[in-house]
């Protein structure tokens, strides 16, 4: 089932689109996310380019979008939100940035 969702992370708006479970698990396998040699940068870059549809710059540049802004925090929080979105049975927050700010 194709889904879309708008979320806010650290005050930035993002639109997410669903991907197939097979695609997601293949990305996990290619990036070694269940083993000792995780390629986290490749994993994040692939998720940003394939799940984020807006802003278009994130979809086009992937991790480089955050690299240019020297923004580690938003990239980390966005990956968590993408993973929650891709698992619709799990509870997820659409305001990760506010939750992170409240915890400080």
């Amino acid at each position: 089932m194709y889904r879309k969702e708008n979320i806010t992370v650290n005050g930035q708006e993002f639109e997410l689109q669903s991907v197939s479970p097979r695609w997601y698990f293949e990305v996990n396998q290619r990036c070694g996310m269940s083993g000792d040699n995780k390629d986290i940068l490749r994993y994040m870059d692939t998720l940003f380019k394939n799940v984020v549809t807006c802003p278009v710059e994130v979809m086009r540049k992937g991790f480089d979008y955050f690299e240019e802004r020297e923004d580690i925090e938003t990239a980390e929080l966005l990956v968590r939100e993408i993973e929650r979105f891709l698992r619709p049975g799990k509870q997820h927050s659409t305001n990760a940035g506010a939750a992170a700010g409240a915890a400080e």
Side-chain angles (χ1 to χ4, degrees), residues 21-22 30 48 67 71 86 103:
R22 178 179 303 276
R30 277 195 310 270
F48 294 155
E67 178 76 19
D71 187 357
L86 294 176

Side-chain angles (χ1 to χ4, degrees), residues 3-14 16 77-78 80-82 84-85 90-100:
R3 297 177 298 113
K4 282 190 164 193
E5 183 177 316
N6 293 315
I7 63 169
T8 302
V9 177
N10 270 354
Q12 296 181 53
E13 297 290 324
F14 297 92
L16 308 179
L77 291 171
L78 181 57
R80 288 184 207 145
E81 286 298 306
I82 289 170
R84 286 189 193 110
F85 168 74
K90 294 205 175 216
Q91 182 180 4
H92 64 279
S93 166
T94 56
N95 199 0

